[in-house]
Amino acid sequence: MSDDLNFRKIFAPTGELRAVINLGNAVLAKAGAKNKGPTGVTVDLAKKFALQLDVPLKLISVQKAGDAVNAVATAKADIGFFAVDPERAALISFTQPYVVIQGA
């Protein structure tokens, strides 16, 4: 089996990439205009990843980070975009960061 098929099987087991998008952080994503999907860096990253996997993309919008983590933890979504947090790490796995932001 090629690496591409392995990645598809891991990241898009249903045949589509289900990406949860947290609309509660306007720096990363915003709700789209009427009849439009969400926009933002996490939406762009999800689109690019689905394109690389050569699978359709399904965006799942939520209002809170906790809901996004829960969607991945319960296999309702395949990927999400989260701050690395020890509590979250008990529920989900993390890749290397796609961005590093200092907050206070």
Side-chain angles (χ1 to χ4, degrees):
M1 190 179 287
S2 75
D3 287 342
D4 288 346
L5 291 177
N6 284 332
F7 282 124
R8 275 189 221 115
K9 185 176 179 182
I10 292 167
F11 289 105
T14 64
E16 66 183 354
L17 180 65
R18 300 170 301 159
V20 65
I21 303 297
N22 175 14
L23 299 177
N25 185 338
V27 172
L28 302 177
K30 297 178 185 168
K34 188 175 181 176
N35 298 323
K36 300 284 184 182
T39 61
V41 66
T42 56
V43 174
D44 293 343
L45 288 168
K47 287 178 180 178
K48 182 69 173 176
F49 191 39
L51 185 64
Q52 288 180 333
L53 291 174
D54 194 28
V55 296
L57 175 64
K58 177 180 180 182
L59 297 176
I60 303 165
S61 298
V62 298
Q63 297 300 319
K64 299 184 297 187
D67 293 341
V69 170
N70 186 55
V72 173
T74 60
K76 292 178 181 149
D78 303 309
I79 65 167
F81 303 89
F82 311 107
V84 176
D85 174 309
E87 288 182 33
R88 292 175 181 166
L91 301 171
I92 60 176
S93 298
F94 291 96
T95 63
Q96 292 298 311
Y98 63 95
V99 66
V100 176
I101 301 171
Q102 291 188 355

